[in-house]
Amino acid sequence: GLKAKLNYFETPKKGFFLHTEVAILDNSLQTENLALVAYMMEDSLVGPQNVSNTFTPNYVHRDIFRGTIDNQIWGRTLNSSFLKNGKYYLDYSAIVPNQLAPSTAGSGAFNAENTHVLVYVYDKTTLEIYQVLKLKFNP
C-alpha cells in the first residue's frame, strides 16, 4: 500500500515537500529487496524535434524525466530506519530546477501545471513494480 502527499510552494523558491507512507500488505515480500523511488517529471513541453526525419518546430514532448528527488536513481531500500508503527515513512524535499518549462504567461517562467512527481515501490531483485503514484504540482 502506497500513499503520498505533495506540498508545492512558490516562495521563497519554487520547491516541494513529499511525504510517503508504505504499508507491506503481503507478508511474503522481503522488505530488504523493496525500494521506494521518487522522480520529478515534466509534461507537455513544446519544442523542436525531428519526427521521422522531418523537423517539427512545435513538437509536444511528453513525460520528460527531470531527475531523482534524492539522487537515488534506484530508490531507497525500505529498512528499519524508515519503519514506524508497522509502516515505512520516507520524506523528501526539493527545489525545482531552473530548466523546467516556461509558462504561457511569459518566457522563462516555470509552469507548475506541467510538472509531477512519480513515486513507486518495486522489488530490486525481480524489478517488479508493486504500486505507482503520480502527484501533480498544485500551485
Side-chain angles (χ1 to χ4, degrees), residues 43-49 51 56-64:
D43 195 36
S44 303
L45 176 65
V46 178
Q49 177 75 22
V51 179
T56 307
N58 294 315
Y59 182 82
V60 179
H61 298 268
R62 307 298 303 233
D63 296 316
I64 303 161

Side-chain angles (χ1 to χ4, degrees), residues 73-95:
I73 192 74
W74 300 110
R76 293 170 156 175
T77 301
L78 299 182
N79 61 44
S80 61
S81 67
F82 303 119
L83 188 61
K84 182 178 179 183
N85 297 325
K87 295 181 182 176
Y88 297 88
Y89 295 92
L90 292 88
D91 294 319
Y92 304 83
S93 63
I95 299 299

Side-chain angles (χ1 to χ4, degrees), residues 102-110:
S103 72
T104 55
S107 178
F110 170 68

Side-chain angles (χ1 to χ4, degrees), residues 18-96:
L18 174 65
H19 309 283
T20 65
E21 175 187 295
V22 179
I24 306 302
L25 303 176
D26 182 348
N27 292 332
S28 69
L29 295 175
Q30 302 295 318
T31 55
E32 65 271 8
N33 289 339
L34 300 179
L36 181 80
V37 177
Y39 296 148
M40 189 181 321
M41 308 290 288
E42 185 178 10
D43 195 36
S44 303
L45 176 65
V46 178
Q49 177 75 22
N50 281 326
V51 179
S52 300
N53 295 325
T54 302
F55 178 73
T56 307
N58 294 315
Y59 182 82
V60 179
H61 298 268
R62 307 298 303 233
D63 296 316
I64 303 161
F65 174 74
R66 289 299 187 188
T68 63
I69 294 172
D70 60 356
N71 295 320
Q72 301 293 320
I73 192 74
W74 300 110
R76 293 170 156 175
T77 301
L78 299 182
N79 61 44
S80 61
S81 67
F82 303 119
L83 188 61
K84 182 178 179 183
N85 297 325
K87 295 181 182 176
Y88 297 88
Y89 295 92
L90 292 88
D91 294 319
Y92 304 83
S93 63
I95 299 299
V96 176

